[in-house]
Amino acid sequence: PPPSPPAEAKRLQAEADGAKQALAVAEEEVVRVEGLYQDTLQQLRAAKQQMKGAEDRASRAEEALADEQAARELAEEERKKARSQLAAQRQKWQEELEEERAGVDRNMNELRESVRRLRVQGAGAREEELEELQKKLEAQGEERERELKGE
């Protein structure tokens, strides 16, 4: 026998209620999943921003390191150049000092020889004047040599 119309209506109503309830549960699940999706998107955006910030900081750090290395290399080049110039100047001064010493030695030898000749020849100069002249000349030579050593 076919079901009675009121029984059929009740059954259909029960099916409709079940479908509505399933639809409500499904809609709640969709809302929940959409919320998770939005939260995940927001977290993804935040992570991308953090990553971008970290990349920017890393890039700036690399640039700073490159600048620091370039500055170090330049400073090293300047230091080497200064050392080289200083060594050249020292060498020049040493050569000048040696020339001055040699000149002082020649002058002293010439003066000693002149004093000796004057003594031998007896050119009218008294012995003590000659000795005084020799001491004076030797003192001048020693003073000049001290000056040269002080440079």
Side-chain angles (χ1 to χ4, degrees):
S4 67
E8 184 64 21
K10 281 185 182 182
R11 185 187 65 78
L12 288 175
Q13 185 61 42
E15 271 184 39
D17 288 345
K20 282 182 187 176
Q21 191 175 19
L23 180 60
V25 168
E27 285 176 348
E28 286 176 10
E29 184 64 17
V30 166
V31 168
R32 187 185 70 76
V33 169
E34 283 181 349
L36 288 174
Y37 175 72
Q38 292 301 323
D39 288 347
T40 303
L41 280 179
Q42 193 167 353
Q43 289 173 359
L44 180 61
R45 284 186 205 112
K48 282 182 180 180
Q49 285 177 343
Q50 288 176 347
M51 187 174 72
K52 175 78 170 116
E55 287 173 348
D56 289 346
R57 287 190 301 276
S59 176
R60 285 192 304 270
E62 287 174 1
E63 289 173 7
L65 179 61
D67 289 347
E68 184 180 322
Q69 287 173 339
R72 247 189 245 133
E73 289 171 3
L74 180 61
E76 181 65 23
E77 288 174 18
E78 289 296 323
R79 192 169 41 111
K80 285 179 182 178
K81 182 179 175 183
R83 281 183 184 164
S84 175
Q85 289 173 343
L86 181 59
Q89 187 64 42
R90 253 192 229 135
Q91 181 64 32
K92 178 183 171 195
W93 289 340
Q94 187 66 32
E95 290 169 2
E96 289 174 0
L97 180 62
E98 292 302 321
E99 287 175 17
E100 287 290 328
R101 283 183 182 159
V104 166
D105 287 347
R106 280 192 305 274
N107 286 342
M108 288 301 296
N109 288 337
E110 288 172 8
L111 291 172
R112 285 184 187 119
E113 183 59 27
S114 294
V115 168
R116 189 191 62 75
R117 270 188 280 118
L118 286 173
R119 280 185 186 155
V120 168
Q121 294 173 357
R126 290 184 303 170
E127 186 72 26
E128 54 190 47
E129 289 175 345
L130 292 175
E131 287 178 11
E132 185 179 314
L133 176 62
Q134 183 176 0
K135 286 180 183 177
K136 183 178 179 182
L137 293 174
E138 286 177 357
Q140 288 175 349
E142 289 172 4
E143 182 179 329
R144 179 68 176 148
E145 197 165 329
R146 279 194 302 276
E147 287 175 9
L148 290 174
K149 287 180 181 177
E151 291 182 5

